[in-house]
Amino acid sequence: MYDQPRPDRPTPAVTFDQMLERVRYEGAYPTRERAEEAVHDVLAALGRQVTRDERVDLAQCLPVEAALTLTAQIPDIEQLTGWGFVKDLAARTGGTPATARWDTCAVLATVTALAGPDLLARILDRLPGGYALLFGQAELRQPQAAA
């Protein structure tokens, strides 16, 4: 079953056009179309990683167009680390890891502002290491000892 935005969801704080303008500013993209491409690519990749209530709650914070991109993805069985996320995004988009990281940080900076600190903390708690920096946050996890 696909996670879909709940019909009784509150109106997001921003419209999709406003979200694209924020991403365009964060990523210094030359066009709105380039920002929109980054939003769809990154949110689709994030939709393959975020699960459970955090996925639904995040979708509720986003404009409908962005929420549909996030929730249209089937979550991967194995979660990727932050670096794995960037490499996977680069492979799927045909870009370099550097441009994938740039796109990821530009989009997730906007997502961070929309989600708020409490939801962001829950999301980061569910994801493997390396995502905090992509969301513009400090990585506060303790390193795990090798088994």
Side-chain angles (χ1 to χ4, degrees):
M1 179 169 111
Y2 294 105
D3 292 328
Q4 293 295 320
R6 295 177 182 160
D8 60 340
R9 70 186 229 141
T11 304
V14 299
T15 66
F16 189 61
D17 287 335
Q18 291 169 326
M19 181 181 183
L20 291 179
E21 283 306 311
R22 286 184 185 186
V23 171
R24 183 176 177 193
Y25 176 79
E26 288 290 334
Y29 296 117
T31 64
R32 180 184 185 282
E33 290 75 23
R34 179 63 186 95
E36 186 170 1
E37 179 183 340
V39 166
H40 287 297
D41 290 343
V42 172
L43 289 180
L46 188 62
R48 291 187 288 275
Q49 299 301 310
V50 177
T51 59
R52 301 182 181 178
D53 289 341
E54 291 76 22
R55 177 184 173 99
V56 174
D57 293 345
L58 180 57
Q60 289 181 331
C61 296
L62 300 174
V64 172
E65 299 89 335
L68 290 173
T69 298
L70 178 84
T71 59
Q73 305 304 310
I74 297 171
D76 286 343
I77 294 170
E78 185 177 328
Q79 287 186 316
L80 301 171
T81 63
W83 177 236
F85 178 89
V86 170
K87 290 191 308 186
D88 182 65
L89 181 61
R92 288 176 186 266
T93 61
T96 66
T99 57
R101 186 175 191 283
W102 184 273
D103 290 348
T104 298
C105 291
V107 173
L108 295 185
T110 301
V111 169
T112 296
L114 296 174
D118 294 337
L119 177 54
L120 182 60
R122 288 178 31 223
I123 291 169
L124 290 175
D125 190 48
R126 294 260 185 214
L127 292 171
Y131 281 89
L133 293 174
L134 299 176
F135 279 95
Q137 307 294 306
E139 184 74 52
L140 300 176
R141 293 184 181 190
Q142 295 295 324
Q144 300 294 320

